Every structure is written in C-alpha cells, then in structure tokens.
Amino acid sequence: MPGGPVAAGNAIGANAPKSKWAGILMTGFAAFGGILFGYDTGTISGIIAMNDWLCTFGFVVANPAAGAATCAISTSNTSLVVSILSVGTIFGALTSAPVADKVGRRMGIIVSCLVFSVGVAMQTAATAMPLFVVGRVFAGFGVGLVSCLIPMYQSECSPKWIRGAVVSCYQWAITIGLLLASIVNNATQSRTDHSSYRIPIAIQFVWAMILSGGMFLLPESPRYLIKRGSDAAAAAALARLTGVDVSHPSIEADLDEIRINLKHEEEIGQATYADCFRDGGNRILLRTLTGIFLQAWQQLTGINFIFYYGTTFFKNSHVGDPFLQSVATNVVNVGMTIPGIYFVDKVGRRNLLLIGAAGMMICEYIVAIAGITLPATNIAGQKVLVAFVCIYIAFFASTWGPIAWVVTGEIFPRKVRAKAMSLSVASNWFWNWLLGFVTPYLVNPGKGNADLGAKVFFIWGSTCLGCLLFTYFCIPETKGLALEQIDILYANTTPRKSIAYRNQMIANEMRGEAAQDDSKHDSQSHDEKV
C-alpha cells in the first residue's frame, strides 16, 4: 500500500516572521468542515422528535392524555437512524489516507463535500426509511473523510507556534454546527408538513458549498506538493500560507526542511497499517494505541447522549421548551470551546485533559444522583439537573472536545502518521456508532429496554474516571514541540514524566537559539572592526 500523507518538519513558517496571520486564517477556514458533522449531529437530535417526521417514518399511536393520536418510532429504528451515519464515517476515515495520498489534502476535502451532498440529497427527498438511511450512510462517508483530512491539512499547513489552537478550531466548528442545527430545528419544529424536517436537512448543502468553494481558493499542503515533485507550486503555496514573498529566504529554508524530512521518510520506507502495530525505538505501537483509545474515550464521555438524544432527554425533564434547552446547551458548547482553543497552547494538552475528565466525572455523578432521587414533578430539582448538564458540557467543550483532535494530529511518527491517524478517527466513529446504537436501548422504557433514564449518567461518570486514568498514564505533554521533537520525547521518557522532559527540550532549544544569535552578533562585530 502506498505511503500515506504525513506532517513532517517544524510545521510551516518555522523560519518566517511569527506575526504573519495568513496561514492561520487559511488553515482556520478549513475547520469549517466541522460544521458538516456538528450540524448533522444536532439536526438528527431534533428531527427524531418532530411530529411530522415521526408520522412519515414511524407509526400512529393512541395518546389519551393528549386527547388525540400521536406518532412514534420504534427503539430499533431510532437506534438505526441515529447511529447509521457513523457506519459511513468509519469507512470514510479509513479511506482518507489513500484519498489524501492520491488526490491531495485540498482536493480530498472537496471530493468529501460532493459525497456528503449526495447523502443530503437522499435524506431530503426521502419519504420512507430505506432511502433516508442510505442517505445517512453517504453523508457519513463524506464526514468521515473530512474528519481526517481537515486535521491533517491543518497540522501540515499551520505555523508551529499556534498549531494546537488552529487544529482546535475544527472542534469549535463542530460546536457551531450543533448550535446552528438546534436553532434551525427550533424554528421549523412546529411546521405541520415535510418542510419541518426537510429544511434543516437541506441547509447542509450550504455548508458543503462553502467548504468546497473555499478549499478551491486555498493552497495545497506544501508537503504534499514537494512529495509529488512540484517544488515551484510548493514554494507558492508556502508563500501564501506564511504571508511572505516567494523569494523570501524563509521559504527556501522551510522547503529544505521538508525535503530533508521526506528524504528520511523515503529511507525508512513506506508504511502499511501493519506497521502501526510494530513497536520499536520510537514506540509506534504505544502511540497508535494512544490515538485509538483517546478517540474512544472522547466518545465514552457520554457527550453524544446530549447531542443525539438531548431534545428527548430535556422533554422528559419537564423544564420548559426542550428545543430551547437544546439551543442553550449548544450556546454553552460553543462558548466554552473558545477557552480550550486559547489554553491548549498555554496550559498544555495533558493538564487540560486531566482537568476536563475530573470535572465531567463529578458533574455526571451529580446528574445521575439527582435523576434518581428527585421526582420529575420537582421543578427546582430538574433545573439543577439541567444546570449540571450544562456545566458538564462546559468541561467537555473546553478540554476533551478540541484537545483529543489536537493530540491525534501530533503524536504519530512520520512513517505511519496518515495510517495511524485514520485508525484513530475510525475509532472515534466506531464508538460514536456503537453508543448511538445502544443508547436508546439503555434509556428508553418498554419491553426489551433497560429504562435507565437519568441513571445512564452513572455509566458516563464511570467512563470519565477511565478518561482520567488513561490520560495520567498514556498522554504526554506535547505543547510547543515540533513533530520531530515529539518523536524524541516518546523515545526518551514516559507520559507521566513528559512535562519535565518537554520543559528540558524547550530550554535546550532556547539556549541553542541564543547561542546562534550571539555567534551572529560576534561575527557582525568582527566584520565591522575589519
């Protein structure tokens, strides 16, 4: 199998002025792809609670309390509709590496938007379950491609000094998509015809058009272009990303670094998926498993219970309009992602993951205890429950939401980076599918269901304890390190001792830069004297 795309070197712009914003803005725009996933996730949460959709795809049931017949859908069909998207995303994530290697990161994202749009068209036109489900699979395939290609594009094209924040923008775009979906759902949910669910679905065409249109205007990854032998195009792309003229000395310096790294990659040979599980001096096996389990634990925090089934959950809490409460929780999600983007390159990846896991665990246990001790008629108690759900979302949004993607984009060595990254993202989608599939059976009442209700938060609280332990033993601190320095970190220390070793590496680097500056100053002084 051909070698997949990698992000080698000190990101881009290592030799360019640090104040340039061109690359930040360009790679930040790529994060718009997160809206495709976030909007779809949030939309289905409201759609499965809309009466017209239930009557179109479900069945009529008697409801004496409401004074009229209402519509419902079986637990199995709810599970299928919500989770089937992730089946497509798993295959999309696994396909992303060969797609990125064949057509490039930029064109790969554009193709992903086309596939996604086909799925959206099917869902919009559907009036029966089979076509709707197939549309969800196609849309999922497109989202799976995007979810791997965009962090890859960002990691390869963003400046090292702000790489973590730029990659975190992908998660922020997901939260914005969730918020937009909840707003649109709230605006159309009272309609009595098919437009109630078709409008929220069809709006996804807009997001795909914006992303694909923008990517037509953005440059390709310089590393991909160098690997394809297009040196002139790589220089032009790098100049656009760093905001300097193509003749600037920093351009050739950065290109030389890329060439050296690619030459080293050729010397060590092309990677296969089997190579991701072969251990060695740079601990590839540990790093592959870390990425796979990190994405799994992110899903096991229980966050998608709120964003897939949140509208139904809030409806059962009997505290106000459930659609408006979904809007409120998504506002929290969007707002609290911003501190995560800011602090990821200030506080560090490891520390924020530890703080987030502990905070989520406490909140979810409180929600579970409140859910089993307070009756649904206790409005004050239900408001407390909703409040702690919002606090829990705040912890996730500022830590595990964006940072899991940052770490996944950083920890893999060049040789297996694309393959290992696709495995990690596939893990995310696998657990996304599994939890989306089993959750209705866990929380719904009725024959064959566990009827846990709010007690399901005991499960999520316990998994957050697992997140805490996993981070402590397996996640190193990589803040401010070049991708090559992360290789050195893994080879010489353990995650628990990584902070001290990382600080030592940064200090040594600063001393080396200072020594170079002194040498240049002495040389200039000598020339002036002569």
Side-chain angles (χ1 to χ4, degrees):
M1 185 176 290
V6 294
N10 296 324
I12 63 101
N15 301 287
K18 187 176 179 179
S19 60
K20 295 298 182 180
W21 284 88
I24 298 170
L25 294 176
M26 290 182 187
T27 53
F29 170 80
F32 190 88
I35 288 181
L36 273 70
F37 170 51
Y39 185 90
D40 186 84
T41 301
T43 299
I44 201 64
S45 172
I47 285 175
I48 62 176
M50 293 181 181
N51 190 62
D52 183 76
W53 187 86
L54 291 171
C55 291
T56 303
F57 296 93
F59 52 87
V60 177
V61 295
N63 190 351
T70 59
C71 297
I73 191 171
S74 66
T75 296
S76 60
N77 277 341
T78 301
S79 174
L80 175 65
V81 167
V82 172
S83 65
I84 197 66
L85 178 89
S86 299
V87 174
T89 58
I90 292 170
F91 289 103
L94 291 174
T95 308
S96 62
V99 168
D101 189 57
K102 186 69 175 178
V103 303
R105 287 67 159 151
R106 171 176 161 271
M107 284 304 300
I109 294 171
I110 294 171
V111 170
S112 304
C113 291
L114 177 61
V115 175
F116 176 79
S117 297
V118 171
V120 171
M122 290 181 178
Q123 294 176 73
T124 304
T127 55
M129 188 63 73
L131 183 59
F132 194 87
V133 169
V134 172
R136 294 276 289 167
V137 174
F138 270 85
F141 188 82
V143 172
L145 286 168
V146 165
S147 68
C148 198
L149 292 173
I150 283 181
M152 187 183 300
Y153 179 85
Q154 291 178 314
S155 291
E156 293 186 1
C157 296
S158 58
K160 181 187 74 172
W161 59 276
I162 200 169
R163 183 183 64 220
V166 169
V167 176
S168 297
C169 288
Y170 176 74
Q171 176 65 24
W172 193 39
I174 293 177
T175 68
I176 293 173
L178 288 162
L179 175 59
L180 291 172
S182 64
I183 292 172
V184 174
N185 281 342
N186 184 61
T188 66
Q189 50 107 358
S190 59
R191 289 172 173 258
T192 57
D193 56 16
H194 293 342
S195 66
S196 61
Y197 68 86
R198 280 179 168 168
I199 290 174
I201 293 173
I203 284 177
Q204 294 175 101
F205 284 121
V206 177
W207 315 139
M209 289 174 60
I210 292 173
L211 178 61
S212 59
M215 293 307 298
F216 266 115
L217 302 176
L218 293 184
E220 179 57 90
S221 162
R223 289 180 177 81
Y224 172 77
L225 294 171
I226 287 288
K227 191 172 183 179
R228 304 288 289 186
S230 303
D231 287 28
L238 190 58
R240 290 183 63 191
L241 289 166
T242 55
V244 300
D245 189 83
V246 71
S247 61
H248 194 282
S250 66
I251 298 297
E252 190 58 35
D254 280 338
L255 291 178
D256 284 341
E257 288 185 9
I258 294 172
R259 294 186 187 102
I260 291 170
N261 290 323
L262 289 176
K263 182 179 180 181
H264 178 67
E265 179 186 344
E266 292 173 358
E267 290 173 352
I268 62 178
Q270 296 177 338
T272 66
Y273 278 104
D275 291 325
C276 298
F277 299 96
R278 294 192 177 104
D279 212 354
N282 54 359
R283 309 178 79 179
I284 293 178
L285 176 61
L286 171 63
R287 295 158 79 169
T288 299
L289 294 178
T290 296
I292 290 172
F293 282 102
L294 177 63
Q295 293 287 351
W297 283 116
Q298 187 205 49
Q299 292 300 303
L300 286 165
T301 59
I303 192 65
N304 280 334
F305 171 73
I306 298 298
F307 294 125
Y308 279 146
Y309 303 104
T311 305
T312 303
F313 175 76
F314 291 127
K315 184 185 294 185
N316 295 333
S317 69
H318 305 289
V319 183
D321 185 340
F323 284 89
L324 287 177
Q325 288 175 348
S326 291
V327 173
T329 56
N330 280 292
V331 169
V332 172
N333 195 30
V334 172
M336 290 306 298
T337 300
I338 297 174
I341 294 173
Y342 176 78
F343 285 113
V344 66
D345 285 312
K346 303 291 183 181
V347 178
R349 287 75 159 138
R350 178 180 169 87
N351 288 335
L352 285 179
L353 289 175
L354 290 170
I355 293 169
M360 289 188 294
M361 178 184 67
I362 294 170
C363 289
E364 291 187 295
Y365 280 140
I366 290 174
V367 170
I369 293 170
I372 63 174
T373 57
L374 299 174
T377 55
N378 187 329
I379 301 301
Q382 294 301 315
K383 289 182 178 178
V384 170
L385 184 149
V386 173
F388 272 98
V389 168
C390 290
I391 297 172
Y392 151 68
I393 292 172
F395 273 110
F396 176 86
S398 58
T399 58
W400 277 79
I403 296 171
W405 293 102
V406 174
V407 174
T408 300
E410 292 179 337
I411 62 173
F412 303 121
R414 290 189 305 272
K415 181 178 179 179
V416 301
R417 184 169 184 272
K419 302 295 190 300
M421 190 170 177
S422 68
L423 288 171
S424 298
V425 178
S427 170
N428 182 290
W429 293 120
F430 170 78
W431 286 96
N432 189 298
W433 164 78
L434 183 62
L435 294 172
F437 183 83
V438 304
T439 296
Y441 294 100
L442 291 175
V443 300
N444 287 356
K447 185 178 180 180
N449 299 327
D451 193 17
L452 292 179
K455 292 192 290 291
V456 74
F457 280 91
F458 280 119
I459 297 176
W460 308 141
S462 299
T463 53
C464 284
L465 175 60
C467 292
L468 185 68
L469 295 174
F470 173 79
T471 301
Y472 180 76
F473 288 106
C474 298
I475 302 297
E477 183 53 73
T478 57
K479 175 173 72 82
L481 296 180
L483 298 174
E484 287 74 24
Q485 290 175 313
I486 294 173
D487 288 340
I488 298 171
L489 181 84
Y490 266 102
N492 293 281
T493 190
T494 63
R496 285 190 297 166
K497 299 177 181 179
S498 61
I499 293 179
Y501 192 86
R502 174 255 173 203
N503 292 341
Q504 181 183 348
M505 291 178 69
I506 295 293
N508 291 340
E509 184 179 34
M510 293 177 65
R511 282 195 293 268
E513 291 175 355
Q516 289 180 357
D517 291 341
D518 291 342
S519 177
K520 290 179 181 179
H521 182 267
D522 292 342
S523 177
Q524 290 173 356
S525 299
H526 178 268
D527 292 340
E528 290 173 359
K529 290 177 181 180
V530 173

